[in-house]
Amino acid sequence: MDLYMMNCELLATCSALGYSEGGTYHKEPDCLESVKDLIRYLRHEDESRDVRRQLGAAQILQSDLLPILTQHRQDKPLFDAVIRLMVNLTQPALLCFGSVPKDPSVRHHFLQVLSYLQAYKEAFASEKAFGVLSETLYELLQLGWEDRQEEDNLLIERILLLVRNILHVPANLEQEKRIDDDASIHDRLLWAIHLSGMDDLLLFLSSSSAEQQWSLHVLEIVSLMFRDQNPEQLAGVGQGHLAQERSTDVAELEVLRQREVAEKRARALQRGNRHSRFGGSYIVQGLKSIGERDVVFHKGLHNLQNYSSDLGKQPRRVPKRRQAAQELSVHRRSVLNVRLFLRDFCSEFLENCYNPLMGAVKDHLLRERAQQHDETYYMWAMAFFMAFNRAAAFRPGLVSETLSVRTFHFVEQNLTNYYEMMLTDRKEAASWARRMHLALKAYQELLATVNEMDACPDEAVRESSRIIKNNIFYMMEYRELFLALFRKFDERYHPRSFLRDLVETTHLFLKMLERFCRSRGNLMVQNKRKKRKKKKKVQDQGVAFSQSPGELEAMWPALAEQLLQCAQDPELSVDPVVPFDAASEVPVEEQRVEAMVRIQECLMAGQAPQALALLRSAREVWPDGNVFGSPVISPGEEMQLLKQILSAPLPRQQEPVEGDAEEEEEEEEEEELQVVQVSEKEFKFLDYLKRFASSTIVRAYMLLLRSYRQNSAHTNHCIAKMLHRLAHDLGMEALLYQLSLFCLFSQLLSDPAAAAYKELVTFAKYILGKFFALAAVNQKVFVELLFWKNTAVVREMTQGYGSLDSGSSSHRVPGWSPEEEAQLQELYLAHKDVEGQDVVETILAHLKVVPRTRKQVIHHLVRMGLADSVKEFQKRKGTQIVLWTEDQELELQRLFEEFRDSDDVLGHIMKNITAKRSRARVVDKLLALGLVSERRQLYKKRRKKLAPSCMNGEESPRDSWQEDPEEEDEHLPEGESEDEESEEDLPEGQGQGSSSLSAENLGQSLRQEGLSAPLLWLQSSLIRAANDREEDGCSQAIPLVPLTEENEEAMENEQFQHLLRKLGIRPPSSGQETFWRIPAKLSSTQLRRVAASLSQQENEEEREEEPEPDPGVPGEQGSSEDQAEALRALLSARKRKAGLGPTEEEATREEEWNSAPKKRQLLDSDEEDDDEGKRQAVSGTPRIHRKKRFQIEDEDEDD
């Protein structure tokens, strides 16, 4: 960023700080205010961090702030303000932007800030700046707690944060281009810290018990100091180890020289003796090109071995989300004097600071007084300093704070947590993978330290190691950890270094476990297994009692005597008990049955007082319905109620039953429960090693083996040892027969520096020899090279294909012989059509040679083609009889002929038929036999309702309605109502005629009960729906929503609901709807006719009470207002007769009726012509009064 692009106010503020002249910085009078203004600007910068970028481009920290810090230290307010500004300017770029931005423009700003931070780090690499910070920190630490102010503590924290920020800046490797043993900027910074004495102050803060509040800051600074260092190499720094480093470098150079010589020799062989401009072209026989011809090769023969069909092709681009994770940490050797200083610092830190500092940090972590992810510094320090202690002069006492089973548990828990978070938080998966790597390194060093303790001459140390190993190997979580890490390894998030550390840690763990098993005769370990249990749901029917009814009857006299004693002597009564379980997931309202069962159990156990107390408590909790008796129940009634409870078949919750996996699938309404069973078993190392015989784990080892040239000798040894365990110890060489692995072996054997990898070369020759020996016997192994294999395939490859079926293991499914298949087919064909029995159960009863399960029989029937699907044999609820025998058909014909003239043919058949079947089956069979031609012939015939004047007390409409209210919807197998289907089959007029006939009688009965207003609301709703369908041209189901209390009560009336069904209105579906709905299939004409049927009876009564208008007066005939008022008056009179006074709502409606404007629409049931002149009769002819109904709609009325 150029300076001329700098903000004018910001530029003026920076100019007011001061100026430098001759190495001396002269501050301006308002320098302090300018520093505070810069802090204020940084506080209000935007998301692009413009202020920070402008200050970095102007180099304010190098040219102004550092001179003020070093030359004006005596000005305490200015010094404090400058420290605050420096801490803000040097904070990491990740904290400024939250994460590495993906947007190009924002990422450019991020890289700018990062470059300015690297310039700040280089400016701080001087003894003068750190000398001032060290002196200030030393003076503050000299103050006692009683003399130290809050400002002093803030200044201490800011100085530590400033040192942390400077050390946190990553190195720019491309710009520095430093090699090993060369001084980088980070090395110069560490050397300045050493010369200024800051390292001694850090050691003091780490060891002092009075300064534990700075422990996390100190640990973070120490971790950043040793960021690029290798603890083993750092521990070996000294005169005695220079020869070892030199020998290592010589070995690496020798490998490189051998490869270079081999490449020169290969290039020399490729050159011809003469000019090869006309080398010619060749045909490669047997290798087809794009067409049917052989490939034409246009190069020399010496290049033929490098021929590939991919030559000249564009390499396939790997998507970014699938690319392998990059290595972030780079180890390098610092200059010698820096390494010596760091070695001495580590030694002093271990001797005086490690145990107290790690204890304080662990306490902060457990008490949650640390920031998020601060445990990563704890695990880094554990891994680094324990490795340094192990490589230098191993003294277990120096790291005793972190050498315990609790530490193992802490690291294992964090490792598992990081793994789970990596799976759930996909956006931050790379960060969780890095934390996971730190935890793995800490776990590796813990194991290495315990392994080193076995070689210690001190008996107490060896005993401590034995105790730790005994606890670790006993717990199942520690043994399963490496298997889980290998199975879930993902190279998109885990770098190659993580896989290397995982392989080395697994090698160390297996070596320790194998040695521990050999030293012990038998090792008992913990075993956890998840067992599936089935929990039966509560059945509808009762459970059989352990006592018969006779025994229960014999028990009652003794119980009655106890109850009488409790009634006579209240002191014998038991205190009230709680009849429900408050901690249960079942709501209290649904625990009535459980309370009833508890009462019954108390009675069966002879505890009559407890049963009585439980009954009374349940009566108080559930008073509704008087299930446990009424509140004013007498003692005698209580005894009778308890007697009924004793003999009642109550449903009970069955205990969980453990069953076989195949039998569990056949049970109905079962819930799976997983219960972890903890047990002990004898540990066998080979059985544990078999868990690693997986293609997933072998694939991970092969991935690391690809970089055998970059791997250390120890890493290659760990890979070869694990593969040798699988191939030789387990005898599973075929698990490694994979083409990609063989290509890697070929590359290894042809490597010029193969002598440096003797162990890998020997193992490769061993595997190849085994492969060609097997290929001589089994030619199919060449095809098997293309696929990864499991243990079952390995066994078939080596022992012969089909050996799995002939295995003698108990868990193997026995095969089916030809004789058994013939018997199975014969039994199935003989019993598949037999009524009343399960064909699979019958087959199982006859198959006694080899025990089979139901699942095996069903699957083999499907495999043989005798059945189409497994679903054909699933057990269904209800009757399983599907086929009809000849006798059953004759019985059905006889019953039909017997009851064909009755009102309910189907009902009588269902009551008298021997083989109980559903109505749907019976109707289908009657249609198939031709006894009826259509389903409507089986509908129940309704009795015709007589007029009210002709009933004479024989049968009222209400009685006729109550005759069979539930059977009208049962005639159709599909559950459709009789009226709906009959309306579809009949013509439009007939279908509605029968409905209107019964609707008139029901409407009359409802008006006699005082439901005239709901009927009027129903009528208006139907007409409104008809109008809407005429206007919109489309129809859909319309809900009937009662908005008044009177309409709600009417909708709950059974007789009113019966009327709705007669009119074709659909009831709400269970669980999905709340209101009744006008079906979409009813047209506007049908809706008007249904509404007209409701008003016919009303108009007849209206004509009886009102005087007939004079035909000669046309005004009376057309006066719809007078008729509407008469109708309202009639409704009020009927309510008064029923004993109901006019409500306030009705009075208000009357006032609104008289005052507010109204809409009136006259609808003729016979004609819809609006010409009133055509409706009037000819003068002198007798006038026919047409039935009319009025829809009165008020603008402010809501139905």
Side-chain angles (χ1 to χ4, degrees), residues 286-309:
L287 186 62
K288 299 296 181 181
S289 61
I290 298 177
E292 294 297 329
R293 300 180 179 179
D294 294 333
V295 172
V296 178
F297 188 68
H298 297 282
K299 296 183 179 181
L301 293 177
H302 55 272
N303 293 321
L304 182 60
Q305 61 180 356
N306 297 327
Y307 173 77
S308 173
S309 300

Side-chain angles (χ1 to χ4, degrees), residues 84-223:
R84 286 178 58 194
L85 182 57
M86 283 184 170
V87 170
N88 199 337
L89 281 176
T90 58
Q91 68 178 357
L94 285 175
L95 289 180
C96 297
F97 290 88
S99 60
V100 179
K102 296 181 179 180
D103 184 74
S105 61
V106 184
R107 189 180 181 87
H108 175 68
H109 298 157
F110 174 83
L111 295 177
Q112 275 188 334
V113 172
L114 188 60
S115 63
Y116 297 146
L117 288 175
Q118 292 169 351
Y120 296 159
K121 183 176 183 178
E122 185 176 4
F124 263 97
S126 64
E127 181 185 355
K128 186 181 296 185
F130 273 98
V132 174
L133 295 177
S134 300
E135 292 177 6
T136 306
L137 184 60
Y138 176 77
E139 294 175 358
L140 293 173
L141 293 177
Q142 289 294 321
L143 299 176
W145 282 103
E146 62 278 0
D147 300 329
R148 193 179 298 177
Q149 303 295 325
E150 185 65 26
E151 293 80 4
D152 299 332
N153 288 329
L154 287 175
L155 186 56
I156 293 175
E157 185 176 9
R158 286 168 183 158
I159 292 175
L160 294 176
L161 287 176
L162 180 60
V163 176
R164 189 277 311 265
N165 292 344
I166 295 300
L167 289 171
H168 188 275
V169 177
N172 191 352
L173 301 180
E174 296 181 357
Q175 183 178 359
E176 293 185 25
K177 296 181 181 180
R178 301 288 183 178
I179 60 175
D180 288 347
D181 298 325
D182 194 6
S184 62
I185 295 178
H186 192 74
D187 294 340
R188 290 161 49 195
L189 193 66
L190 293 177
W191 190 247
I193 290 176
H194 174 60
L195 294 179
S196 63
M198 179 67 73
D199 55 339
D200 297 329
L201 294 177
L202 294 176
L203 291 174
F204 170 75
L205 290 173
S206 303
S207 60
S208 175
S209 59
E211 307 292 345
Q212 289 187 356
Q213 58 176 330
W214 318 116
S215 56
L216 283 170
H217 293 290
V218 173
L219 186 62
E220 190 173 359
I221 291 173
V222 172
S223 66

Side-chain angles (χ1 to χ4, degrees), residues 559-786:
L559 295 173
E561 185 178 353
Q562 296 182 24
L563 293 173
L564 288 175
Q565 292 178 0
C566 293
Q568 294 174 0
D569 191 358
E571 296 181 357
L572 297 177
S573 300
V574 183
D575 296 336
V577 294
V578 179
F580 59 88
D581 186 6
S584 176
E585 296 180 357
V586 182
V588 178
E589 292 77 8
E590 300 178 9
Q591 297 187 29
R592 294 186 183 182
V593 180
E594 297 180 6
M596 193 79 72
V597 171
R598 290 176 59 189
I599 296 173
Q600 190 182 60
E601 291 175 351
C602 291
L603 291 174
M604 290 181 178
Q607 302 173 355
Q610 288 80 354
L612 181 60
L614 192 57
L615 176 67
R616 292 173 177 174
S617 300
R619 186 186 306 144
E620 296 178 358
V621 176
W622 298 291
D624 299 338
N626 295 333
V627 179
F628 298 94
S630 62
V632 293
I633 189 172
S634 62
E637 294 176 347
E638 275 187 337
M639 292 180 63
Q640 291 298 325
L641 181 58
L642 289 173
K643 185 177 180 180
Q644 294 176 5
I645 294 175
L646 177 63
S647 58
L650 299 178
R652 279 179 166 76
Q653 184 79 16
Q654 295 186 2
E655 295 295 331
V657 179
E658 182 180 345
D660 194 22
E662 297 174 347
E663 297 175 356
E664 291 171 353
E665 297 180 357
E666 307 299 330
E667 299 294 338
E668 297 178 359
E669 297 183 353
E670 294 175 342
E671 294 180 355
E672 286 193 6
L673 297 177
Q674 286 194 351
V675 180
V676 179
Q677 279 194 350
V678 181
S679 59
E680 287 188 348
K681 69 173 184 179
E682 185 177 354
F683 180 77
K684 296 181 180 179
F685 181 75
L686 288 180
D687 292 342
Y688 177 69
L689 193 60
K690 290 178 182 178
R691 305 283 301 279
F692 290 87
S694 171
S695 60
T696 306
I697 298 178
V698 175
R699 203 175 304 175
Y701 273 88
M702 192 200 70
L703 181 64
L704 185 61
L705 186 60
R706 289 178 183 173
S707 57
Y708 69 94
R709 296 180 179 178
Q710 290 79 28
N711 295 341
S712 63
H714 177 66
T715 302
N716 289 332
H717 167 71
C718 295
I719 298 173
K721 182 63 177 177
M722 172 56 79
L723 298 180
H724 182 266
R725 288 180 187 272
L726 298 178
H728 181 267
D729 297 351
L730 297 181
M732 293 187 180
E733 300 92 348
L735 191 65
L736 306 179
Y737 295 167
Q738 221 284 331
L739 190 59
S740 57
L741 185 60
F742 278 19
C743 292
L744 191 58
F745 285 165
S746 175
Q747 181 183 353
L748 176 65
L749 295 175
S750 60
D751 194 335
Y757 315 105
K758 293 182 180 179
E759 191 174 15
L760 291 177
V761 171
T762 304
F763 179 74
K765 292 180 179 179
Y766 168 77
I767 293 297
L768 292 174
K770 290 289 185 179
F771 171 77
F772 290 114
L774 181 62
V777 181
N778 182 11
Q779 294 291 331
K780 296 181 180 179
V781 294
F782 292 102
V783 182
E784 297 283 0
L785 282 175
L786 302 175

